[in-house]
Amino acid sequence: MNNSFSQKQHIKYDKSAKNYIIMKKILVTGGAGFIGSHLCAKLINDGHSVICLDNFFTGSRSNVWHLIDNPRFELVRHDVTVPYNAEVDEIYNLACPASPVHYQHDPVKTVKTSVMGAINMLALGRQVGAKVLQASTSEVYGDPIVHPQTEEYWGNVNTVGIRSCYDEGKRCAETLFMDYHRQKKLRIKIIRIFNTYGPLMSKNDGRVVSNFIIQALKDEDITLYGDGSQTRSFQYVDDLVEGMVRMMDTDDKFVGPINIGNPNEFTIKELAEKVIELTGSKSKFIYKPLPGDEPKQRQPDITLAKEKLNWEPSVYLEEGLIKTIEYFKSIRSEERRVGK
Ligand code: NAD
Ligand code: UDP
C-alpha cells in the first residue's frame, strides 16, 4: 500500500449535529482539476479523509492549496493509466481532460486515461471493497436526436471524429463499470455530467464560459463559433458536487447512469449577451467556424435525479455567472499585481 491511511472508515460524534457521522476514506482521481477540487473541498468539509490523485495535466496544486495543511487531505501525483493502491471506502473517478482543446491535444492518451483509468480504479475498488463512481458525460449522447436527453437514450456519436477520443473513451468506461458490476459484483455508480461552470475553471482550456468571461473582462472580441444558435444547459459546480455526493450515497442497488445537469437551456449567443451585460463589457461578437462534430443542442432530463436523489439544481445562471466573473476578476488582478 502506498498511501498514508492506516485504517478505513470510522465513526465520529458531530457536536453541532448531535449525531454520529461516518468518516470515510475517499479517493478522488482528477482531484486537482476544476470539478475535482470542489469535490475534495466538500468531502473534507463533511469530515472525511481524502486522497487527491492527479497527474496535473490540466489540474494544478493551486486548486487544492487551501486543503494542503489539513491532516485529512493528501495530494498524490499519479497517472491513472498506471495501477494505484490505497485502502479506501469510496472512489470518485474524475481523471480525464474535459475541454475539447485539452482532450484533443493527445487523443490517444485521452482514450487511455478513460479506459485504462477506469480499469485501474475498478480493479482497486474490487481489491479493497470500495464503491466506485464514474464521472461520465452528456457527450455519451453525442449530437442528440432525442431532446431533452433521458438516460435511456443511446446517443448519436461519431466513432471516428475529433471528439471521439473523449466521447467513445467515456462510453467504454461506462461499459466497463457496468460489466464489473454485473460480472464481478462491484458496487458502482455512473453519473452523466452536463456542462458545468464556476470558479477554478482553467482560464486557458477554451471552454465557452471561461472564454467569454475572460474576453469580456478584457473588452476583447467574443468568439462565437458558428452562428451561436447551438444550445447548452449549464450547471453551477456546487449543484453538481451536491448531486455527485448524493449519488454516491444511494442504495447499492441503484447504479445509474443518471443525468446531473441544469435543464435551463439557452443558445451560446444568449450566454454571450448575458456575460456582456453582467460585466458591463464593450466587447463585440466575432464569428468563427464551428469545430467538427459539435452537438447542436443539449439539455438534460433530470426526472431520475429528482426521484432517486431528491436533487435538482438551485443556482440560477445569473447568480453562478456573477460568482464566476468575480473569480476571473480576482485572478486577473493577481496577474496584474505580479506583472503577468
Ligand atoms: P479538468 O480538466 O479541470 O480536470 C480533470 C483532472 O484530471 C485534471 O486535474 C487533470 O490533471 C487530471 N487528469 C487528466 N488525465 C489524468 C491522468 N491520466 N491521470 C491522473 N489525472 C489526470 O476537468 P473537469 O471539468 O474538472 O472534469 C472532471 C471530470 O468531469 C472529467 O472526467 C470530465 O470528463 C467530467 N465532466 C466534466 C464536465 C464539465 O463541464 N466540466 C462535463 C461532463 C463531464
Ligand atoms: N464556443 C463558442 N466560443 C468559444 C468557446 C466555445 O462559441 O469561445 C461554443 C462551442 O462551439 C460549443 C459551446 O460553445 O458549441 C460549448 O463549448 P464548450 O467547449 O464549453 O463545451 P462542449 O462543446 O464540450 O459542450
Side-chain angles (χ1 to χ4, degrees):
M1 296 285 165
N2 56 357
N3 73 310
S4 65
F5 296 146
S6 53
Q7 51 178 201
K8 290 175 81 185
Q9 68 184 31
H10 60 282
I11 308 235
K12 181 189 157 202
Y13 188 69
D14 182 342
K15 278 187 196 152
S16 54
K18 292 192 177 141
N19 212 344
Y20 287 95
I21 55 166
I22 296 173
M23 295 172 65
K24 292 176 277 194
K25 315 275 191 203
I26 302 175
L27 174 64
V28 180
T29 78
F34 158 50
I35 296 170
S37 53
H38 285 274
L39 177 63
C40 288
K42 175 171 170 58
L43 296 172
I44 288 287
N45 202 33
D46 288 351
H48 305 297
S49 296
V50 172
I51 301 176
C52 167
L53 184 150
D54 208 294
N55 72 349
F56 304 119
F57 173 45
T58 52
S60 74
R61 286 176 185 78
S62 61
N63 285 346
V64 288
W65 208 240
H66 59 297
L67 303 173
I68 285 287
D69 288 336
N70 191 311
R72 288 183 283 107
F73 182 77
E74 187 179 343
L75 179 60
V76 177
R77 184 187 194 111
H78 185 86
D79 195 304
V80 285
T81 59
V82 177
Y84 178 76
N85 280 320
E87 196 71 27
V88 290
D89 306 298
E90 292 177 351
I91 304 168
Y92 288 84
N93 186 37
L94 275 67
C96 186
S99 89
V101 171
H102 285 132
Y103 70 64
Q104 287 163 13
H105 168 74
D106 184 348
V108 174
K109 175 74 188 203
T110 300
V111 176
K112 283 186 186 168
T113 295
S114 271
V115 176
M116 293 166 68
I119 291 172
N120 287 331
M121 289 308 126
L122 288 162
L124 173 59
R126 196 164 173 235
Q127 186 187 325
V128 300
K131 211 188 304 183
V132 194
L133 179 145
Q134 169 66 359
S136 190
T137 169
S138 54
E139 301 285 350
V140 300
Y141 301 122
D143 188 6
I145 293 161
V146 170
H147 192 74
Q149 292 78 56
T150 59
E151 291 83 355
E152 288 78 36
Y153 177 48
W154 290 356
N156 176 35
V157 182
N158 180 1
T159 58
V160 293
I162 57 169
R163 293 174 82 103
S164 310
C165 59
Y166 182 73
D167 302 4
E168 294 295 352
K170 288 284 187 178
R171 284 167 68 95
C172 183
E174 285 198 8
T175 306
L176 283 161
F177 267 70
M178 286 309 299
D179 285 335
Y180 264 78
H181 174 63
R182 279 186 293 251
Q183 190 182 333
K184 302 180 193 291
K185 310 296 172 222
L186 194 72
R187 292 179 301 149
I188 62 132
K189 308 280 173 190
I190 300 172
I191 59 166
R192 292 183 179 153
I193 303 171
F194 282 65
N195 294 68
T196 305
Y197 71 100
L200 301 180
M201 284 183 95
S202 162
K203 68 180 167 66
N204 58 4
D205 71 6
R207 280 188 265 193
V208 70
V209 174
S210 45
N211 268 13
F212 285 1
I213 292 177
I214 291 164
Q215 289 161 346
L217 290 177
K218 293 181 176 170
D219 288 328
E220 289 174 356
D221 289 337
I222 301 253
T223 50
L224 285 172
Y225 301 163
D227 61 5
S229 65
Q230 68 273 37
T231 69
R232 294 289 186 276
S233 313
F234 283 90
Q235 70 182 328
Y236 190 66
V237 65
D238 290 356
D239 282 332
L240 166 63
V241 165
E242 179 62 34
M244 292 176 96
V245 171
R246 286 194 194 193
M247 179 59 177
M248 186 62 109
D249 288 345
T250 52
D251 189 279
D252 285 350
K253 284 195 220 85
F254 180 64
V255 300
I258 191 165
N259 290 338
I260 307 281
N262 191 324
N264 178 23
E265 183 188 13
F266 41 81
T267 68
I268 293 303
K269 191 167 181 188
E270 284 167 342
L271 175 70
E273 286 162 351
K274 194 60 159 172
V275 170
I276 289 185
E277 178 196 319
L278 293 176
T279 51
S281 171
K282 298 188 191 69
S283 295
K284 304 269 176 283
F285 296 153
I286 54 161
Y287 293 88
K288 295 205 164 182
L290 202 60
D293 283 343
E294 271 260 344
K296 285 179 265 316
Q297 54 181 3
R298 190 181 288 150
Q299 183 191 31
D301 181 318
I302 58 164
T303 310
L304 193 62
K306 284 183 184 166
E307 183 202 323
K308 295 283 187 185
L309 313 182
N310 191 23
W311 174 92
E312 61 184 316
S314 64
V315 180
Y316 288 104
L317 179 68
E318 187 160 320
E319 185 188 346
L321 280 179
I322 289 170
K323 289 183 186 170
T324 313
I325 290 166
E326 283 312 310
Y327 167 73
F328 280 108
K329 272 187 188 164
S330 72
I331 55 171
R332 227 168 104 67
S333 45
E334 178 60 14
E335 280 171 3
R336 282 212 195 96
R337 195 182 64 77
V338 297
K340 273 196 195 166

